[in-house]
PDB file of all heavy atoms in Angstrom:
ATOM      1  N   ALA A 267      -2.118 -28.934  51.835  1.00 32.00           N
ATOM      2  CA  ALA A 267      -2.147 -27.516  51.490  1.00 32.00           C
ATOM      3  C   ALA A 267      -2.758 -27.380  50.117  1.00 32.00           C
ATOM      4  O   ALA A 267      -2.987 -28.349  49.433  1.00 32.00           O
ATOM      5  CB  ALA A 267      -0.725 -26.940  51.503  1.00 32.00           C
ATOM      6  N   THR A 268      -3.015 -26.156  49.712  1.00 30.00           N
ATOM      7  CA  THR A 268      -3.594 -25.960  48.387  1.00 30.00           C
ATOM      8  C   THR A 268      -2.503 -25.838  47.356  1.00 30.00           C
ATOM      9  O   THR A 268      -1.392 -25.433  47.639  1.00 30.00           O
ATOM     10  CB  THR A 268      -4.454 -24.690  48.357  1.00 30.00           C
ATOM     11  OG1 THR A 268      -3.665 -23.586  48.769  1.00 30.00           O
ATOM     12  CG2 THR A 268      -5.652 -24.847  49.258  1.00 30.00           C
ATOM     13  N   GLY A 269      -2.851 -26.181  46.097  1.00 37.00           N
ATOM     14  CA  GLY A 269      -1.867 -26.116  45.042  1.00 37.00           C
ATOM     15  C   GLY A 269      -2.543 -26.155  43.702  1.00 37.00           C
ATOM     16  O   GLY A 269      -3.739 -25.976  43.601  1.00 37.00           O
ATOM     17  N   HIS A 270      -1.787 -26.458  42.640  1.00 47.00           N
ATOM     18  CA  HIS A 270      -2.371 -26.419  41.303  1.00 47.00           C
ATOM     19  C   HIS A 270      -2.557 -27.812  40.753  1.00 47.00           C
ATOM     20  O   HIS A 270      -2.097 -28.788  41.305  1.00 47.00           O
ATOM     21  CB  HIS A 270      -1.502 -25.564  40.390  1.00 47.00           C
ATOM     22  CG  HIS A 270      -0.506 -26.303  39.596  1.00 47.00           C
ATOM     23  ND1 HIS A 270      -0.761 -26.698  38.316  1.00 47.00           N
ATOM     24  CD2 HIS A 270       0.759 -26.701  39.866  1.00 47.00           C
ATOM     25  CE1 HIS A 270       0.321 -27.301  37.832  1.00 47.00           C
ATOM     26  NE2 HIS A 270       1.237 -27.321  38.750  1.00 47.00           N
ATOM     27  N   ALA A 271      -3.257 -27.904  39.645  1.00 42.00           N
ATOM     28  CA  ALA A 271      -3.684 -29.204  39.181  1.00 42.00           C
ATOM     29  C   ALA A 271      -2.705 -29.869  38.245  1.00 42.00           C
ATOM     30  O   ALA A 271      -2.966 -30.953  37.790  1.00 42.00           O
ATOM     31  CB  ALA A 271      -5.034 -29.094  38.485  1.00 42.00           C
ATOM     32  N   ASP A 272      -1.591 -29.261  37.937  1.00 54.00           N
ATOM     33  CA  ASP A 272      -0.624 -29.974  37.127  1.00 54.00           C
ATOM     34  C   ASP A 272       0.515 -30.466  38.002  1.00 54.00           C
ATOM     35  O   ASP A 272       1.686 -30.243  37.736  1.00 54.00           O
ATOM     36  CB  ASP A 272      -0.074 -29.103  35.999  1.00 54.00           C
ATOM     37  CG  ASP A 272       0.872 -29.928  35.161  1.00 54.00           C
ATOM     38  OD1 ASP A 272       0.558 -31.107  34.975  1.00 54.00           O
ATOM     39  OD2 ASP A 272       1.899 -29.407  34.731  1.00 54.00           O
ATOM     40  N   GLU A 273       0.189 -31.111  39.073  1.00 53.00           N
ATOM     41  CA  GLU A 273       1.170 -31.790  39.879  1.00 53.00           C
ATOM     42  C   GLU A 273       0.538 -33.049  40.390  1.00 53.00           C
ATOM     43  O   GLU A 273      -0.670 -33.212  40.349  1.00 53.00           O
ATOM     44  CB  GLU A 273       1.620 -30.929  41.056  1.00 53.00           C
ATOM     45  CG  GLU A 273       0.565 -30.784  42.116  1.00 53.00           C
ATOM     46  CD  GLU A 273       1.125 -30.192  43.381  1.00 53.00           C
ATOM     47  OE1 GLU A 273       1.770 -30.911  44.126  1.00 53.00           O
ATOM     48  OE2 GLU A 273       0.907 -29.018  43.608  1.00 53.00           O
ATOM     49  N   PRO A 274       1.328 -33.993  40.867  1.00 57.00           N
ATOM     50  CA  PRO A 274       0.721 -35.204  41.384  1.00 57.00           C
ATOM     51  C   PRO A 274      -0.092 -34.905  42.627  1.00 57.00           C
ATOM     52  O   PRO A 274       0.392 -34.348  43.593  1.00 57.00           O
ATOM     53  CB  PRO A 274       1.932 -36.090  41.721  1.00 57.00           C
ATOM     54  CG  PRO A 274       3.038 -35.131  41.943  1.00 57.00           C
ATOM     55  CD  PRO A 274       2.778 -33.992  40.996  1.00 57.00           C
ATOM     56  N   ASP A 275      -1.349 -35.263  42.593  1.00 47.00           N
ATOM     57  CA  ASP A 275      -2.226 -35.072  43.737  1.00 47.00           C
ATOM     58  C   ASP A 275      -2.025 -36.235  44.693  1.00 47.00           C
ATOM     59  O   ASP A 275      -1.407 -37.227  44.375  1.00 47.00           O
ATOM     60  CB  ASP A 275      -3.672 -35.039  43.238  1.00 47.00           C
ATOM     61  CG  ASP A 275      -4.628 -34.436  44.245  1.00 47.00           C
ATOM     62  OD1 ASP A 275      -4.194 -34.138  45.362  1.00 47.00           O
ATOM     63  OD2 ASP A 275      -5.801 -34.278  43.884  1.00 47.00           O
ATOM     64  N   ALA A 276      -2.579 -36.102  45.886  1.00 49.00           N
ATOM     65  CA  ALA A 276      -2.523 -37.178  46.846  1.00 49.00           C
ATOM     66  C   ALA A 276      -3.901 -37.785  47.012  1.00 49.00           C
ATOM     67  O   ALA A 276      -4.912 -37.174  46.682  1.00 49.00           O
ATOM     68  CB  ALA A 276      -2.023 -36.647  48.180  1.00 49.00           C
ATOM     69  N   PRO A 277      -3.963 -39.008  47.522  1.00 50.00           N
ATOM     70  CA  PRO A 277      -5.247 -39.676  47.650  1.00 50.00           C
ATOM     71  C   PRO A 277      -6.244 -38.893  48.494  1.00 50.00           C
ATOM     72  O   PRO A 277      -5.924 -38.417  49.572  1.00 50.00           O
ATOM     73  CB  PRO A 277      -4.880 -40.998  48.321  1.00 50.00           C
ATOM     74  CG  PRO A 277      -3.460 -41.215  47.950  1.00 50.00           C
ATOM     75  CD  PRO A 277      -2.844 -39.851  47.896  1.00 50.00           C
ATOM     76  N   ALA A 278      -7.440 -38.752  47.976  1.00 42.00           N
ATOM     77  CA  ALA A 278      -8.525 -38.166  48.743  1.00 42.00           C
ATOM     78  C   ALA A 278      -9.237 -39.275  49.511  1.00 42.00           C
ATOM     79  O   ALA A 278      -8.922 -40.445  49.356  1.00 42.00           O
ATOM     80  CB  ALA A 278      -9.499 -37.453  47.808  1.00 42.00           C
ATOM     81  N   LYS A 279     -10.207 -38.927  50.324  1.00 39.00           N
ATOM     82  CA  LYS A 279     -10.834 -39.929  51.180  1.00 39.00           C
ATOM     83  C   LYS A 279     -11.686 -40.914  50.385  1.00 39.00           C
ATOM     84  O   LYS A 279     -11.648 -42.108  50.605  1.00 39.00           O
ATOM     85  CB  LYS A 279     -11.692 -39.236  52.236  1.00 39.00           C
ATOM     86  CG  LYS A 279     -10.868 -38.511  53.292  1.00 39.00           C
ATOM     87  CD  LYS A 279     -11.768 -37.934  54.357  1.00 39.00           C
ATOM     88  CE  LYS A 279     -10.939 -37.253  55.436  1.00 39.00           C
ATOM     89  NZ  LYS A 279     -11.788 -36.667  56.501  1.00 39.00           N
ATOM     90  N   ALA A 280     -12.489 -40.404  49.471  1.00 38.00           N
ATOM     91  CA  ALA A 280     -13.370 -41.304  48.742  1.00 38.00           C
ATOM     92  C   ALA A 280     -13.853 -40.625  47.479  1.00 38.00           C
ATOM     93  O   ALA A 280     -14.110 -39.438  47.452  1.00 38.00           O
ATOM     94  CB  ALA A 280     -14.587 -41.688  49.593  1.00 38.00           C
ATOM     95  N   ALA A 281     -14.008 -41.439  46.423  1.00 38.00           N
ATOM     96  CA  ALA A 281     -14.442 -40.872  45.153  1.00 38.00           C
ATOM     97  C   ALA A 281     -15.849 -40.316  45.241  1.00 38.00           C
ATOM     98  O   ALA A 281     -16.208 -39.393  44.523  1.00 38.00           O
ATOM     99  CB  ALA A 281     -14.369 -41.938  44.064  1.00 38.00           C
ATOM    100  N   SER A 282     -16.658 -40.872  46.136  1.00 38.00           N
ATOM    101  CA  SER A 282     -18.040 -40.441  46.215  1.00 38.00           C
ATOM    102  C   SER A 282     -18.199 -39.068  46.846  1.00 38.00           C
ATOM    103  O   SER A 282     -19.289 -38.503  46.844  1.00 38.00           O
ATOM    104  CB  SER A 282     -18.847 -41.453  47.032  1.00 38.00           C
ATOM    105  OG  SER A 282     -18.317 -41.557  48.335  1.00 38.00           O
ATOM    106  N   SER A 283     -17.113 -38.490  47.368  1.00 38.00           N
ATOM    107  CA  SER A 283     -17.222 -37.206  48.043  1.00 38.00           C
ATOM    108  C   SER A 283     -17.358 -36.040  47.082  1.00 38.00           C
ATOM    109  O   SER A 283     -17.719 -34.949  47.472  1.00 38.00           O
ATOM    110  CB  SER A 283     -15.998 -36.971  48.930  1.00 38.00           C
ATOM    111  OG  SER A 283     -14.834 -36.878  48.136  1.00 38.00           O
ATOM    112  N   ALA A 284     -17.069 -36.263  45.805  1.00 42.00           N
ATOM    113  CA  ALA A 284     -17.129 -35.162  44.846  1.00 42.00           C
ATOM    114  C   ALA A 284     -18.556 -34.901  44.410  1.00 42.00           C
ATOM    115  O   ALA A 284     -19.356 -35.814  44.235  1.00 42.00           O
ATOM    116  CB  ALA A 284     -16.270 -35.479  43.627  1.00 42.00           C
ATOM    117  N   ALA A 285     -18.865 -33.639  44.169  1.00 43.00           N
ATOM    118  CA  ALA A 285     -20.162 -33.298  43.601  1.00 43.00           C
ATOM    119  C   ALA A 285     -20.179 -33.709  42.146  1.00 43.00           C
ATOM    120  O   ALA A 285     -19.268 -33.382  41.394  1.00 43.00           O
ATOM    121  CB  ALA A 285     -20.412 -31.802  43.728  1.00 43.00           C
ATOM    122  N   PRO A 286     -21.171 -34.477  41.678  1.00 46.00           N
ATOM    123  CA  PRO A 286     -21.182 -34.934  40.289  1.00 46.00           C
ATOM    124  C   PRO A 286     -21.400 -33.783  39.335  1.00 46.00           C
ATOM    125  O   PRO A 286     -22.000 -32.769  39.676  1.00 46.00           O
ATOM    126  CB  PRO A 286     -22.366 -35.912  40.255  1.00 46.00           C
ATOM    127  CG  PRO A 286     -23.262 -35.460  41.364  1.00 46.00           C
ATOM    128  CD  PRO A 286     -22.341 -34.937  42.435  1.00 46.00           C
ATOM    129  N   GLU A 287     -20.926 -33.984  38.102  1.00 47.00           N
ATOM    130  CA  GLU A 287     -21.205 -33.027  37.047  1.00 47.00           C
ATOM    131  C   GLU A 287     -22.708 -33.053  36.734  1.00 47.00           C
ATOM    132  O   GLU A 287     -23.382 -34.071  36.873  1.00 47.00           O
ATOM    133  CB  GLU A 287     -20.430 -33.421  35.778  1.00 47.00           C
ATOM    134  CG  GLU A 287     -18.960 -33.118  35.835  1.00 47.00           C
ATOM    135  CD  GLU A 287     -18.688 -31.693  35.436  1.00 47.00           C
ATOM    136  OE1 GLU A 287     -19.251 -31.217  34.442  1.00 47.00           O
ATOM    137  OE2 GLU A 287     -17.913 -31.056  36.128  1.00 47.00           O
ATOM    138  N   ALA A 288     -23.209 -31.929  36.317  1.00 45.00           N
ATOM    139  CA  ALA A 288     -24.604 -31.907  35.897  1.00 45.00           C
ATOM    140  C   ALA A 288     -24.803 -32.862  34.738  1.00 45.00           C
ATOM    141  O   ALA A 288     -24.006 -32.910  33.808  1.00 45.00           O
ATOM    142  CB  ALA A 288     -25.002 -30.492  35.488  1.00 45.00           C
ATOM    143  N   ALA A 289     -25.861 -33.677  34.814  1.00 46.00           N
ATOM    144  CA  ALA A 289     -26.085 -34.686  33.791  1.00 46.00           C
ATOM    145  C   ALA A 289     -26.436 -34.045  32.457  1.00 46.00           C
ATOM    146  O   ALA A 289     -26.142 -34.585  31.407  1.00 46.00           O
ATOM    147  CB  ALA A 289     -27.190 -35.640  34.238  1.00 46.00           C
ATOM    148  N   VAL A 290     -27.097 -32.904  32.489  1.00 59.00           N
ATOM    149  CA  VAL A 290     -27.525 -32.265  31.256  1.00 59.00           C
ATOM    150  C   VAL A 290     -27.091 -30.809  31.284  1.00 59.00           C
ATOM    151  O   VAL A 290     -27.382 -30.074  32.219  1.00 59.00           O
ATOM    152  CB  VAL A 290     -29.056 -32.349  31.084  1.00 59.00           C
ATOM    153  CG1 VAL A 290     -29.464 -31.629  29.813  1.00 59.00           C
ATOM    154  CG2 VAL A 290     -29.517 -33.796  31.051  1.00 59.00           C
ATOM    155  N   ASP A 291     -26.372 -30.383  30.268  1.00 80.00           N
ATOM    156  CA  ASP A 291     -25.968 -28.990  30.130  1.00 80.00           C
ATOM    157  C   ASP A 291     -26.042 -28.667  28.649  1.00 80.00           C
ATOM    158  O   ASP A 291     -25.270 -29.197  27.849  1.00 80.00           O
ATOM    159  CB  ASP A 291     -24.559 -28.783  30.673  1.00 80.00           C
ATOM    160  CG  ASP A 291     -24.157 -27.309  30.707  1.00 80.00           C
ATOM    161  OD1 ASP A 291     -24.708 -26.520  29.920  1.00 80.00           O
ATOM    162  OD2 ASP A 291     -23.281 -26.951  31.524  1.00 80.00           O
ATOM    163  N   ALA A 292     -26.981 -27.830  28.296  1.00 78.00           N
ATOM    164  CA  ALA A 292     -27.228 -27.542  26.884  1.00 78.00           C
ATOM    165  C   ALA A 292     -26.031 -26.906  26.193  1.00 78.00           C
ATOM    166  O   ALA A 292     -25.957 -26.880  24.967  1.00 78.00           O
ATOM    167  CB  ALA A 292     -28.455 -26.639  26.753  1.00 78.00           C
ATOM    168  N   ARG A 293     -25.091 -26.374  26.963  1.00 84.00           N
ATOM    169  CA  ARG A 293     -23.926 -25.728  26.364  1.00 84.00           C
ATOM    170  C   ARG A 293     -22.879 -26.725  25.889  1.00 84.00           C
ATOM    171  O   ARG A 293     -21.980 -26.383  25.125  1.00 84.00           O
ATOM    172  CB  ARG A 293     -23.292 -24.774  27.371  1.00 84.00           C
ATOM    173  CG  ARG A 293     -24.202 -23.648  27.852  1.00 84.00           C
ATOM    174  CD  ARG A 293     -23.542 -22.861  28.974  1.00 84.00           C
ATOM    175  NE  ARG A 293     -23.231 -23.718  30.119  1.00 84.00           N
ATOM    176  CZ  ARG A 293     -22.491 -23.348  31.154  1.00 84.00           C
ATOM    177  NH1 ARG A 293     -21.961 -22.139  31.185  1.00 84.00           N
ATOM    178  NH2 ARG A 293     -22.271 -24.183  32.154  1.00 84.00           N
ATOM    179  N   ILE A 294     -22.951 -27.979  26.351  1.00 86.00           N
ATOM    180  CA  ILE A 294     -21.948 -28.992  26.003  1.00 86.00           C
ATOM    181  C   ILE A 294     -22.235 -29.525  24.602  1.00 86.00           C
ATOM    182  O   ILE A 294     -23.365 -29.945  24.314  1.00 86.00           O
ATOM    183  CB  ILE A 294     -21.967 -30.147  27.016  1.00 86.00           C
ATOM    184  CG1 ILE A 294     -21.707 -29.620  28.429  1.00 86.00           C
ATOM    185  CG2 ILE A 294     -20.939 -31.201  26.642  1.00 86.00           C
ATOM    186  CD1 ILE A 294     -21.880 -30.670  29.514  1.00 86.00           C
ATOM    187  N   PRO A 295     -21.259 -29.526  23.716  1.00 83.00           N
ATOM    188  CA  PRO A 295     -21.484 -30.063  22.365  1.00 83.00           C
ATOM    189  C   PRO A 295     -21.843 -31.545  22.414  1.00 83.00           C
ATOM    190  O   PRO A 295     -21.134 -32.332  23.041  1.00 83.00           O
ATOM    191  CB  PRO A 295     -20.137 -29.849  21.660  1.00 83.00           C
ATOM    192  CG  PRO A 295     -19.398 -28.876  22.489  1.00 83.00           C
ATOM    193  CD  PRO A 295     -19.884 -29.034  23.887  1.00 83.00           C
ATOM    194  N   THR A 296     -22.934 -31.924  21.793  1.00 84.00           N
ATOM    195  CA  THR A 296     -23.344 -33.326  21.744  1.00 84.00           C
ATOM    196  C   THR A 296     -22.945 -33.984  20.434  1.00 84.00           C
ATOM    197  O   THR A 296     -23.178 -35.177  20.241  1.00 84.00           O
ATOM    198  CB  THR A 296     -24.864 -33.441  21.937  1.00 84.00           C
ATOM    199  OG1 THR A 296     -25.525 -32.648  20.944  1.00 84.00           O
ATOM    200  CG2 THR A 296     -25.269 -32.964  23.325  1.00 84.00           C
ATOM    201  N   THR A 297     -22.382 -33.196  19.531  1.00 87.00           N
ATOM    202  CA  THR A 297     -21.821 -33.743  18.292  1.00 87.00           C
ATOM    203  C   THR A 297     -20.357 -33.330  18.215  1.00 87.00           C
ATOM    204  O   THR A 297     -19.904 -32.427  18.925  1.00 87.00           O
ATOM    205  CB  THR A 297     -22.574 -33.201  17.062  1.00 87.00           C
ATOM    206  OG1 THR A 297     -22.488 -31.769  17.057  1.00 87.00           O
ATOM    207  CG2 THR A 297     -24.039 -33.629  17.088  1.00 87.00           C
ATOM    208  N   GLU A 298     -19.613 -33.986  17.370  1.00 93.00           N
ATOM    209  CA  GLU A 298     -18.187 -33.705  17.244  1.00 93.00           C
ATOM    210  C   GLU A 298     -17.977 -32.431  16.435  1.00 93.00           C
ATOM    211  O   GLU A 298     -18.390 -32.341  15.281  1.00 93.00           O
ATOM    212  CB  GLU A 298     -17.472 -34.907  16.627  1.00 93.00           C
ATOM    213  CG  GLU A 298     -17.457 -36.073  17.609  1.00 93.00           C
ATOM    214  CD  GLU A 298     -16.985 -37.373  17.016  1.00 93.00           C
ATOM    215  OE1 GLU A 298     -17.229 -37.596  15.811  1.00 93.00           O
ATOM    216  OE2 GLU A 298     -16.385 -38.187  17.756  1.00 93.00           O
ATOM    217  N   THR A 299     -17.373 -31.445  17.069  1.00 92.00           N
ATOM    218  CA  THR A 299     -17.192 -30.134  16.452  1.00 92.00           C
ATOM    219  C   THR A 299     -15.769 -29.970  15.955  1.00 92.00           C
ATOM    220  O   THR A 299     -14.828 -30.544  16.506  1.00 92.00           O
ATOM    221  CB  THR A 299     -17.507 -29.020  17.460  1.00 92.00           C
ATOM    222  OG1 THR A 299     -16.598 -29.134  18.565  1.00 92.00           O
ATOM    223  CG2 THR A 299     -18.930 -29.141  17.979  1.00 92.00           C
TER     224      THR A 299
END
């Protein structure tokens, strides 16, 4: 069922099933702010 992310999740089928984060996003700080 659906739920929230601050609880223990259960095993999904495979790590490769997730869509990867975009490799480049100009909005992400590249230096320590």
Side-chain angles (χ1 to χ4, degrees):
T268 56
H270 94 95
D272 183 38
E273 71 168 282
D275 197 355
K279 289 184 178 180
S282 60
S283 64
E287 285 275 315
V290 178
D291 187 335
R293 300 173 301 170
I294 302 173
T296 56
T297 58
E298 291 170 328
T299 61

